[in-house]
Amino acid sequence: MNGYILEACVDSVESALAAARGGASRLELCSNLVIGGTTPSPWLFEEIRKHTDIKIHALIRPRFGDFCYTDSEFSIIRGEVKGFREMGAEGVVIGILKPDGTLNMEQMKILMEEAEGMSVTLHRAFDVCADPFVAMEQAIELGIDTILTSGQKNVCTLGTDLLRELVEKSAGRICIQVGSGVNAQAISQVYPLTKATAYHMSGKVTLDSSMIYRKQGVNMGLPSLSEYEVWRTEESKIREAKQVLEEL
């Protein structure tokens, strides 16, 4: 396949460099991937920039949870979009909804002004919006470049019907980027059914902590997560996905 996009979602320097070595087209940079991703720190961005010139799109999401934000949260989001533009990020990944599940066009217009000159992706707020086709047309109206979506399902392989419709109805006016559960095998399943040419994956594996001494019975966050496991992008998983895309 010519002209494909393989975006790697990463939340560490180590994962970013593994994705770059594996042949990712670009990075979506975030923090806290374990909870779906939040805004990364400027220092993480700058440290990655020291080691690679791969394109970086910064996820702008101030917290875990829904995509309906308070005035203070919106102020933070706006400042972060401006901040990453000034630091030289090639893109931002944003999304704000109203309580009724529609895209918050007023706030999104403001963010688009702050992101002037950058590539903009509407993130998976799209997957919990009320009407995906209306939201897609609004995204096109705003001048957004990409919609990241699983087809409004938990994993992309279950959302192929909607993904296909989005690709068809978008008619090249906006890029439909497939996310959630993406790997080499999923791409092989999803592409023939949807003709989507852009994919988003973490390629993560779970590594054992380097800690030898391990205190039991103390959790720093969610009790379902071990403090002695580390999520990292594995270079080979990115490379495998890239190979599938090149052979399609």
Side-chain angles (χ1 to χ4, degrees):
M1 182 197 304
N2 294 320
Y4 68 83
I5 296 171
L6 180 60
E7 180 178 82
C9 184
V10 302
D11 63 358
S12 69
V13 176
E14 293 79 9
S15 289
L17 298 183
R21 290 192 302 268
S25 309
R26 67 182 183 225
L27 306 179
E28 183 196 275
L29 183 62
C30 66
S31 290
N32 302 308
L33 187 54
V34 70
I35 54 171
T38 55
T39 306
S41 79
W43 295 273
L44 176 59
F45 174 86
E46 290 176 354
E47 187 64 25
I48 292 170
R49 274 289 195 235
K50 293 177 184 178
H51 303 283
T52 178
D53 60 0
I54 191 172
K55 290 182 179 180
I56 299 176
H57 290 189
L59 173 66
I60 309 297
R61 186 184 180 210
R63 58 161 171 78
F64 169 78
D66 65 40
F67 303 102
C68 184
Y69 297 110
T70 66
D71 290 344
S72 294
E73 288 171 332
F74 176 67
S75 179
I76 291 168
I77 291 168
R78 184 176 181 179
E80 288 172 333
V81 170
K82 179 181 178 182
F84 278 100
R85 175 172 56 80
E86 291 174 346
M87 282 188 288
E90 285 81 8
V92 286
V93 185
I94 56 177
I96 301 179
L97 299 179
K98 290 183 175 180
D100 64 358
T102 60
L103 204 59
N104 189 321
M105 291 293 283
E106 296 78 14
Q107 292 185 339
M108 289 295 291
K109 285 177 182 177
I110 293 171
L111 297 185
M112 291 300 292
E113 291 172 1
E114 295 289 2
E116 185 179 1
M118 306 171 78
S119 177
V120 177
T121 297
L122 172 59
H123 60 42
R124 291 188 66 214
F126 180 86
D127 279 331
V128 292
C129 74
D131 188 321
F133 299 108
V134 170
M136 181 180 72
E137 294 300 329
Q138 290 177 321
I140 292 168
E141 178 187 338
L142 286 166
I144 289 172
D145 301 283
T146 301
I147 294 174
L148 173 61
T149 175
S150 60
Q152 295 201 328
K153 300 292 184 181
N154 277 335
V155 293
C156 63
T157 51
L158 299 178
T160 53
D161 288 344
L162 178 56
L163 289 168
R164 181 182 64 254
E165 287 189 79
L166 291 168
V167 171
E168 291 173 354
K169 291 180 184 296
S170 65
R173 294 174 297 155
I174 194 168
C175 176
I176 304 300
Q177 181 172 258
V178 178
S180 188
V182 171
N183 54 29
Q185 182 178 2
I187 293 171
S188 297
Q189 292 178 247
V190 171
Y191 175 74
L193 298 173
T194 67
K195 303 305 180 185
T197 59
Y199 293 85
H200 167 100
M201 64 181 290
S202 66
K204 66 180 180 291
V205 294
T206 303
L207 303 178
D208 193 38
S209 166
S210 60
M211 289 292 297
I212 297 173
Y213 175 74
R214 303 189 178 194
K215 186 71 174 180
Q216 300 301 312
V218 179
N219 288 95
M220 300 296 144
L222 295 173
S224 60
L225 300 175
S226 170
E227 309 300 337
Y228 301 106
E229 292 180 349
V230 179
W231 284 12
R232 291 270 172 81
T233 296
E234 186 172 90
E235 179 181 340
S236 64
K237 291 183 178 293
I238 303 297
R239 185 174 291 110
E240 288 167 4
K242 179 180 180 180
Q243 182 175 347
V244 168
L245 286 166
E246 290 180 341
E247 291 175 352
L248 286 172

